Amino acid sequence: MSDTPAAADEPRGERIAKYLSRAGITSRRDAEAMIAAGRIRLNNAPVSHPAVFVKDGDIVLVDGKPVGEPDRTRLWRFHKPEGLVTTHKDPEGRPTVFDKLPPGLPRVMSIGRLDLTSEGLLLLTNDGALARQLELPATGWLRRYRVRVHGGVAPDKLKRLAEGLAVDGIKYGPIEAHIDSVQRSNTWMSMSLREGKNREIRRVMEALALPVTRLIRVAYGPFQLGTLPRGAAEEVNGKVLREQVPGLGK
């Protein structure tokens, strides 16, 4: 009797790019680039394309080093200080967020970024698939900021922000903005947006002749900066994470 039907019934496992992403090694997209570069091996055989599945007991190597079994999906709130870049390695040698994380965290990646001089809430996860999901504009999560600008903010500029505007050929969506306080030549504002293009607030405010002198992210979707001390990280309770991200596995 042929063994073919039984073999066909065996679980295929998990695509290797997703496996590496859940293991916190890299994003799915970057995993495909690593495969193309010959950096991935499965059971000591080179992986040449992403349509390869990892099953229980398989051994995955990245650059010759074994990859541990993916942990359950976890999420941390981190209070990013200014002066850190949100990359694992910086070609200019500047200190990175990942150089300054508290001890005891596994390998993590950021959900979105904050630029060098920005501070506040940065979400970190060990699951690349979750990072990609929560970065997508389709997720619809509101990002909220406290922003200090140099100069007074006239009502017409608030209206332009609410309508969205184009800067250097890039179209930016509506930004909800309110004036909190005015201190001499500076204005503190609360600003909220959903898309979060690269340096969006700084570029939009510069176009309105209101240069940003301080930018603090205070919320990303349902997760708040709160009173988390600068430089500290705190894990989000697993039950809370599953409640806030529908469809998330255990």
Side-chain angles (χ1 to χ4, degrees):
M1 186 173 179
S2 172
D3 291 334
T4 303
D9 290 339
E10 291 180 2
R12 291 193 303 173
E14 184 173 45
R15 281 185 179 269
I16 193 162
K18 182 178 180 181
Y19 181 91
L20 292 171
S21 175
R22 287 203 310 112
I25 300 299
T26 186
S27 68
R28 291 194 206 184
R29 181 178 299 174
D30 288 345
E32 293 179 3
M34 294 170 73
I35 290 168
R39 298 174 58 189
I40 314 297
R41 298 179 74 86
L42 175 64
N43 297 328
N44 209 32
V47 176
S48 58
H49 55 83
V52 168
F53 292 83
V54 182
K55 299 185 289 294
D56 289 345
D58 284 345
I59 298 174
V60 179
L61 302 178
V62 175
D63 297 330
K65 297 179 181 178
V67 176
E69 288 286 333
D71 192 3
R72 63 180 175 83
T73 297
R74 302 169 70 187
L75 183 76
W76 289 262
R77 296 182 303 122
F78 175 64
H79 188 159
K80 175 193 175 296
E82 63 177 332
L84 301 178
V85 293
T86 314
T87 56
H88 281 276
K89 293 183 180 179
D90 182 61
E92 299 178 32
R94 295 171 297 183
T96 78
V97 163
F98 304 99
D99 295 330
K100 303 296 182 181
L101 292 179
L105 269 68
R107 179 181 172 85
V108 293
M109 58 195 70
S110 66
I111 297 173
R113 294 189 176 188
L114 286 172
D115 63 38
L116 178 71
T117 54
S118 297
E119 55 193 292
L121 179 64
L122 185 66
L123 297 181
L124 305 171
T125 181
N126 63 335
D127 188 331
L130 177 66
R132 179 164 175 75
Q133 175 185 346
L134 299 188
E135 287 172 351
L136 293 173
T139 304
W141 275 8
L142 198 68
R143 286 87 150 160
R144 295 195 290 112
Y145 302 81
R146 290 204 70 223
V147 182
R148 186 179 68 193
V149 298
H150 182 70
V153 183
D156 68 299
K157 294 186 177 181
L158 293 178
K159 184 173 183 293
R160 290 183 65 189
L161 287 170
E163 293 172 345
L165 65 157
V167 180
D168 296 330
I170 300 175
K171 175 65 178 176
Y172 294 100
I175 297 177
E176 182 181 339
H178 303 281
I179 296 173
D180 293 332
S181 63
V182 178
Q183 301 171 350
R184 297 183 181 178
S185 60
N186 294 314
T187 302
W188 276 100
M189 307 175 67
S190 293
M191 303 181 73
S192 302
L193 53 92
R194 294 192 184 276
E195 190 168 2
K197 290 187 173 81
N198 184 35
R199 297 178 63 84
E200 178 167 348
I201 290 178
R202 294 185 186 276
R203 288 174 173 167
V204 167
M205 299 308 284
E206 186 71 34
L208 296 176
L210 293 168
V212 172
T213 57
R214 194 170 179 193
L215 190 151
I216 308 166
R217 182 154 64 199
V218 296
Y220 193 112
F223 302 106
Q224 314 287 320
L225 178 63
T227 58
L228 188 67
R230 184 179 283 108
E234 183 175 276
E235 185 168 3
V236 174
N237 177 275
K239 180 175 182 292
V240 172
L241 176 58
R242 290 191 296 275
E243 290 173 347
Q244 298 299 336
V245 185
L248 184 68
K250 292 183 179 181

